[in-house]
Amino acid sequence: MLGATQLPVLEVKGPRRFTAPEDLLDAAEKALGVTLPGSYREFAKRYGFGEVGGMFTVHVPVPAGAQPGCAGLVGLSRELAAELTEDVDRQALDLRPDGTPELVRRLVPFGTSSNGDVMAWDPAAASGPGELWIYLLSPRSGGVWRAAPNLAVFLAKAREPGLGGMMDRMRTRLPATFVPRPFTAG
């Protein structure tokens, strides 16, 4: 599974609302200073902005003028990175089992969970050609987990019992669903 980069097929529940075109993905790369992983780019173009398995929201770049509440990748990433850095500086984040202060400070968030968890890439840790390791951070209940080598494996693990061992406190198994989030230009 480590080398798998093909996204699983997700049942789309509702009308597709917004998928990210290449120009917005390229602009997000420049704004964030990181090469977006191939599995993420494919997800953003195929599924777009929305929630996977009733739990994880993957944020994609949105054009200027997005409606309020439609958190685009760049804004969300910057906001969450600042919050995580603050948590590390205040020693308010449990770094076990896989985190360090340096790691958390360099992570690039790209998604959230309904439980307040953060999905983030480590731009210093390639997991394969064009891919970056994904970490799950839980600011509320504590913990930093090295979750998956790419988004395809992350999504596959999420459908296994206990989220495929990505977080020791999770006992659930997510359905293979995608619910698009609304998006309109303002």
Side-chain angles (χ1 to χ4, degrees):
M1 183 183 292
L2 179 65
T5 57
Q6 184 174 357
L7 292 174
V9 174
L10 301 174
E11 178 185 357
V12 177
K13 302 270 195 172
R16 184 136 325 136
R17 304 284 183 128
F18 179 76
T19 56
E22 288 289 337
D23 63 326
L24 287 179
L25 292 165
D26 293 343
E29 281 186 345
K30 289 178 184 158
L32 294 172
V34 65
T35 300
L36 299 177
S39 58
Y40 169 82
R41 289 180 77 96
E42 179 60 30
F43 182 93
K45 291 187 289 189
R46 183 187 308 176
Y47 294 108
F49 177 53
E51 187 177 76
V52 178
M55 182 174 200
F56 293 106
T57 299
V58 177
H59 294 260
V60 301
V62 295
Q67 77 180 41
C70 183
L73 173 65
V74 174
L76 171 100
S77 186
R78 288 177 175 161
E79 179 181 322
L80 289 176
E83 289 174 13
L84 292 170
T85 295
E86 183 179 312
D87 286 348
V88 166
D89 291 344
R90 292 183 302 118
Q91 297 181 344
L93 179 64
D94 182 356
L95 300 172
R96 292 175 291 172
D98 300 320
T100 65
E102 298 76 26
L103 168 72
V104 174
R105 284 186 184 99
R106 73 173 177 254
L107 290 175
V108 178
F110 69 93
T112 56
S113 82
S114 55
N115 295 330
D117 304 313
V118 175
M119 303 158 54
W121 299 296
D122 180 357
S127 60
E131 295 292 343
L132 299 172
W133 276 99
I134 296 172
Y135 282 78
L136 275 172
L137 297 88
S138 187
R140 285 189 200 165
S141 59
V144 177
W145 291 267
R146 188 176 186 178
N150 58 58
L151 192 54
V153 173
F154 183 95
L155 295 174
K157 282 182 161 187
R159 293 189 342 262
E160 296 174 8
L163 292 183
M166 289 191 290
M167 297 175 82
D168 61 9
R169 66 179 167 80
M170 299 301 295
R171 301 290 175 249
T172 193
R173 178 183 185 156
L174 301 181
T177 58
F178 177 79
V179 177
R181 288 279 179 95
F183 169 82
T184 59

